[in-house]
Structure formats: structure tokens, C-alpha cells
Amino acid sequence: MRLKLDERPFATVPPAVSPDGAYQPVSFWQETIDVAPGAPLQEHLQCDVCVIGGGYSGLSVARELKQRKPDLDIVVLERGVCGHGASGRNGGFSMPLIGWDLYETAKSLGDEKAKRTYELMYDAVDYFKRLIADNAIACDLESTGYLFINTCEAREKHSRHELAKAQQLGFDHRWLDRAELQDYIRSDRYRSAIFDPHPCIVNPAKLARGLKDAAERQGIRIYEQTSVTGLTDGDPVSITTEHGSVKARQVALCLNGFGASLGFFKHAVLPIHTYIVLTEPLTDAQLEAIGWAKHRASLETARNFIHYFRLTADNRIAFGGEDADLYPGGVYRNLDETIAAALRQRFREHFPSLADVRFTHAWGGTLGVSLDMFPVFGQGGDHGSIFHACAYAGHGVSLSNYCGTILAPMMLRAAGHTDVPEPAQLPFFWNKKPLPMPPDPFRYWGLRVYRQALKAQDWWQGA
Ligand SMILES: Cc1cc2nc3c(=O)[nH]c(=O)nc-3n(C[C@H](O)[C@H](O)[C@H](O)COP(=O)(O)OP(=O)(O)OC[C@H]3O[C@@H](n4cnc5c(N)ncnc54)[C@H](O)[C@@H]3O)c2cc1C
């Protein structure tokens, strides 16, 4: 296997580090951290494991490997700085969602498999909270719980199926009718909701940098400003970068939405973009006006193109979703002004009483999505030495931080460390072949038609 970086998709994205060496934040979260970009790789290295991508997935795999085998020599290669991708830009919701939802997952996999899969995801949410506590990472963690809000009759009907399935399979979701929901948040558009008490929120960039520091304390070597330009399978695997190279016995590809730019799962994992707009800090009176002062629950609306929103530590509202897009040629973007404007407009419809609130930030990023909305994890390469974890769709915060607990033992066992136990539960998507998509331009145009159909359904249902 030979993979080669296609630099064209990055042509429209300013680099993470300016020529004078200063970090260039994209999201509000990234503005809240001090980043001294790490030095690039400028030599030819050999190591046991090379992790490509310094987001949550890459840091999780590196840290879980090192925790089990402290003598391993592990190198992480990151194109910008750790947490410059989706891991430093997301909404910061750690939640158990996987696939479309639990009801649809049970329909496609059966009750037993769906239950096991969601148990794994709840375990990932618990692990996420422990990870932050154990490493004492100051990232504004708030255990807020999560509301799935219905804004129309059709979605309310579906949510009742979702709740019944959750309760049947033993999960502690709760229904809130319109009156009960008013105690959490008030908008004329909100009819009812499902409340899940387990999810939490963080400042995602603070978390990413905290994890990078934790990894370095463990003795993991991290090279930032180091773009991988090619990979050749073999024993060892050869990785080339702009100014150096690495030979590694094993590789973990942790690129999520950027995988396609290296030719990895090009026809199975789509680099989809989602965007967030952010308000100025709200006053207590403004928060009270929309009923968000008492419980600080995080929220999502039930529709194909969801809205996800939450409060920040300084009481701004981060409001994301509304649309998601893929750009021709797999191009990457930091912002799509048309989608940001639609988000601001939608925010005013949800909360007319906040018509005067100013927006201070807008940004977006790339995530990986497979056709069936399930993650893509597994082992590959001619020698079984190239591992991967990606395609978390819009809810990868929990699972990408947890993925090392699955990949690390599988990698160590493959490398001959038979004393390392297998993961307690291998998810059903381990080594599952993702559904293929046709090449561009058919893929691009096919997806545009599908996106329009989903948007039309949201509009028709009034969601
Ligand atoms: C705007 C937005 C909002 C989101 N909101 C949520 C949310 O609230 N909850 C949730 O659960 N999920 C959310 N997600 C998804 C979540 O952020 C991701 O699933 C998760 O961060 C994936 O982490 P990762 O490490 O796999 O990928 P990334 O964080 O994207 O990391 C991949 C890394 O690879 C690096 N890279 C790329 N090319 C190369 C190369 N050639 N060489 C070396 N390195 C390279 C990139 O710079 C990047 O740092 C959101 C995503 C976005 C974009």
C-alpha cells in the first residue's frame, strides 16, 4: 500500500502557524489557550509506533499504548498543532450518540447489538470524565446532561419510539413535556424533549492541549508542524514528512476527516464540514428570559440537520449545525459564511427575546462521516501493522478520546505482547468494511442531492 498526500484540499486553509511562529487559532476555544507550537520533525527516525494526527484519537492511542507498555518508543506527527483540527473546534459535548440514534441502531443491528454498542458509548462518556479528572485537566467540565428537543409533530413521534427503545434496553432517559421543558429552556418552538442525564460539556481546545501535555509527560515524542506527505507499507512502515521520515513497526492513522487527503478511505469516509456561531456573554436577565439560568443542560434539536447548542463557562451561547457540507475536490475550510449567516438567523427564530445579542465568533471544521453513520475502526496493511480509527460523524468527542482503549490492546497483541488482554468489548464496527461510495464527481453530486432531500424533509416537517 502506498498513500500520498494530496496537498490541494488544504490550499484554501490558512496554516495553523504563521511564518513568525505564532499559532493561528480558528475557534473561540482555541483563542482561550496559549500555544507555543512544537518543533517539526527534521530528521530520519525509527520507532515502535508512529501515530499520524494529533487530535483526540491520536493522543488517545499514543497514551493508552504507553500506559500499557511504558518502554515503547511512540512518535506522534501532527500537521498543525495538537487540537487544531475538529478536536479544538467542536461543540464540546461528550455524549453517547452513535449511528443515527438508538432506535435506528436497534432497527439495523437488532436489540442486543444496539444495547451493547450503546453500553460501550456510555462507558466512553464515563471514561471521558475520568480522563479529565485523572490528568487534572482544567477544561471547564460541566456535567449538564443533554436534551434532545422536538420542534415538530413528526420528530416528537420518532422521539417517543426512541424513548421506548431506550427504556426497554435499560437506559435511564426521561421524557419532558412542554411544561416540564420550560424549566430547562423556553422557546415557542420547543414542544417536548428526551433528557439524558449522563453527557457533559468541556472547552474542547483546553482538553486537547491538556491531553498533549499529559502525553508528553508520559514520554511520547510529539512533532507539530509536521505534515505527513506519504506512507509506504512494509516491515517497517515508511512515513515521509516535509523535512524528515519515520520508520515504524506499527502505525495508527488518526486523521478522521483529513484521511481522504492522504488517500485513506477516500471513497468511504467523507470530509464533512459543520459550523458554529457564538454570542457575546449573556447577562443573568437574558439567561432568565429564555429559562436557561436554572439548569445549564446542553441541547440538540431533533431533525436531519440538527442544531446543537450550549453555554460556555462565561455564559455565551455556542449554536451549531443547521447544515453540513462537503466541498468539491475534498477541499477543507475553516468557515462557510452562508451557513454561519443561516445559523445566526435560526438562532433569532429560536430566541426572539435575544434579538439584540451580538455574535462575536463563527468557525467550523471537518469531521469524518461514513455512509451508515457508524465509525470505521480496524487493522490493515500487508503486514497487519496499520491501524485506524475515524468516522465518528458529528459525535466523536467521547469515542475518539476512548478509541485508544480499543486500538492499543489490539496493536500490542498484534505486535506479540500476548500478556496484554483484549479489550473488554470489541465494537461491532471493528474491521467492518465501510460502505463504498462512487468516485467524484458522482460522489459529490450524489451527496448534494441526498443533502437537499434531507433538508427538504426538515423543512416539510417544520423541524
Ligand atoms: C465544528 C464541529 C463541532 C463538533 N461538535 C461535536 C460535539 O459537540 N460533540 C461530539 O461528540 N463531536 C463533535 N464534533 C466531532 C469531533 O470533534 C470529532 O469527532 C473528534 O474531534 C475527532 O477527533 P480526531 O482526533 O479523530 O480528529 P481531528 O481532531 O480532526 O484530528 C486529526 C488531526 O490530523 C491532523 N492531520 C491532518 N492531515 C495530516 C497530515 N497529512 N499529517 C499529519 N497530521 C495531519 C490534523 O491537523 C488534525 O489535528 C464536532 C466537529 C466539528 C468540526
Side-chain angles (χ1 to χ4, degrees):
M1 171 171 45
R2 238 170 221 281
L3 297 172
K4 195 172 175 309
L5 182 74
D6 179 359
E7 269 293 335
R8 281 170 310 161
F10 294 109
T12 57
V13 180
V17 180
S18 66
D20 62 0
Y23 177 52
Q24 306 289 301
V26 172
S27 69
F28 164 74
W29 315 116
Q30 291 165 339
E31 287 178 10
T32 66
I33 52 175
D34 280 330
V35 177
L41 176 71
Q42 285 179 317
E43 56 187 304
H44 303 286
L45 288 182
Q46 293 195 352
C47 62
D48 295 313
V49 180
C50 178
V51 176
I52 305 179
Y56 297 147
S57 299
L59 295 170
S60 174
V61 173
R63 293 187 58 257
E64 290 293 333
L65 282 166
K66 194 79 175 169
Q67 207 155 306
R68 285 166 178 77
K69 292 286 167 193
D71 291 341
L72 278 187
D73 185 11
I74 303 173
V75 166
V76 176
L77 305 179
E78 162 56 46
R79 182 173 190 274
V81 305
C82 291
H84 190 67
S87 298
R89 306 181 188 196
N90 61 70
F93 306 91
S94 163
M95 52 202 292
L97 193 61
I98 191 165
W100 284 107
D101 58 23
L102 176 57
Y103 178 72
E104 294 298 334
T105 301
K107 251 173 51 183
S108 66
L109 303 179
D111 282 356
E112 200 38 52
K113 232 187 215 180
K115 181 174 159 67
R116 280 207 307 275
T117 304
Y118 267 76
E119 281 169 352
L120 179 117
M121 292 303 297
Y122 277 102
D123 197 38
V125 173
D126 286 346
Y127 170 94
F128 181 81
K129 294 177 190 167
R130 279 200 311 277
L131 175 73
I132 293 167
D134 291 351
N135 290 284
I137 299 175
C139 59
D140 305 331
L141 170 73
E142 274 190 75
S143 289
T144 57
Y146 207 75
L147 285 167
F148 295 89
I149 295 184
N150 302 305
T151 57
C152 68
E153 200 180 333
R155 290 292 169 170
E156 194 165 55
K157 201 168 149 201
H158 182 88
S159 287
R160 287 201 183 274
H161 293 308
E162 172 75 3
L163 178 79
K165 184 56 72 183
Q167 293 180 337
Q168 178 205 333
L169 297 182
F171 299 107
D172 55 355
H173 295 36
R174 215 153 38 87
W175 187 264
L176 302 177
D177 62 21
R178 192 189 282 269
E180 290 166 312
L181 181 55
Q182 303 261 317
D183 200 33
Y184 286 80
I185 187 123
R186 280 194 294 278
S187 164
D188 288 347
R189 296 177 63 96
Y190 302 163
R191 301 165 65 102
S192 58
I194 295 175
F195 181 64
D196 179 345
H198 301 279
C200 60
I201 50 172
V202 293
N203 173 323
K206 285 186 180 174
L207 174 62
R209 294 308 284 183
L211 291 168
K212 184 227 173 208
D213 293 345
E216 285 183 326
R217 282 197 301 275
Q218 281 179 274
I220 293 160
R221 286 190 283 169
I222 300 179
Y223 293 92
E224 298 190 314
Q225 306 182 65
T226 299
S227 204
V228 168
T229 51
L231 180 151
T232 306
D233 198 358
D235 185 16
V237 183
S238 300
I239 299 117
T240 51
T241 69
E242 280 162 317
H243 306 294
S245 69
V246 177
K247 287 198 185 303
R249 287 170 54 215
Q250 289 184 314
V251 169
L253 291 168
C254 296
L255 293 154
N256 201 24
F258 298 100
S261 64
L262 263 176
F264 165 65
F265 286 130
K266 214 169 173 169
H267 304 303
V269 179
L270 300 163
I272 298 285
H273 286 64
T274 171
Y275 299 92
I276 293 177
V277 294
L278 186 84
T279 69
E280 62 187 340
L282 265 62
T283 62
D284 291 347
Q286 284 169 325
L287 271 184
E288 189 56 55
I290 57 168
W292 214 353
K294 184 171 164 196
H295 305 287
R296 293 170 60 86
S298 312
L299 312 118
E300 171 173 325
T301 53
R303 62 204 298 273
N304 294 323
F305 286 100
I306 61 166
H307 300 114
Y308 48 93
F309 42 119
R310 57 162 287 183
L311 294 170
T312 62
D314 61 350
N315 286 339
R316 298 161 184 269
I317 297 179
F319 192 79
E322 173 72 24
D323 201 348
D325 216 347
L326 170 85
Y327 302 100
V331 155
Y332 296 107
R333 285 203 189 178
N334 292 335
L335 181 61
D336 183 325
E337 249 316 323
T338 309
I339 296 179
L343 268 168
R344 287 188 285 264
Q345 164 71 23
R346 185 69 77 172
F347 176 89
R348 310 252 188 240
E349 287 169 26
H350 281 221
F351 303 116
S353 64
L354 301 183
D356 294 336
V357 168
R358 276 186 331 114
F359 288 90
T360 57
H361 294 73
W363 72 89
T366 306
L367 43 85
V369 181
S370 68
L371 266 193
D372 62 7
M373 294 289 283
F374 287 117
V376 176
F377 277 35
Q379 177 179 12
D382 296 341
H383 305 270
S385 50
I386 302 178
F387 292 75
H388 57 270
C390 59
Y392 309 96
H395 16 90
V397 168
S398 315
L399 193 56
S400 57
N401 276 293
Y402 184 77
C403 75
T405 70
I406 299 165
L407 261 72
M410 298 307 283
M411 291 174 75
L412 290 170
R413 288 176 68 82
H417 297 282
T418 46
D419 58 317
V420 175
E422 273 201 8
Q425 196 201 131
L426 257 190
F428 79 90
F429 46 83
W430 179 262
N431 275 342
K432 178 177 169 290
K433 225 174 153 35
L435 298 174
M437 279 169 258
D440 275 337
F442 306 104
R443 175 186 80 148
Y444 174 71
W445 287 108
L447 280 159
R448 288 207 81 75
V449 170
Y450 182 52
R451 169 172 166 265
Q452 282 312 116
L454 292 176
K455 287 177 79 145
Q457 191 187 33
D458 282 337
W459 174 81
W460 178 252
Q461 292 179 335

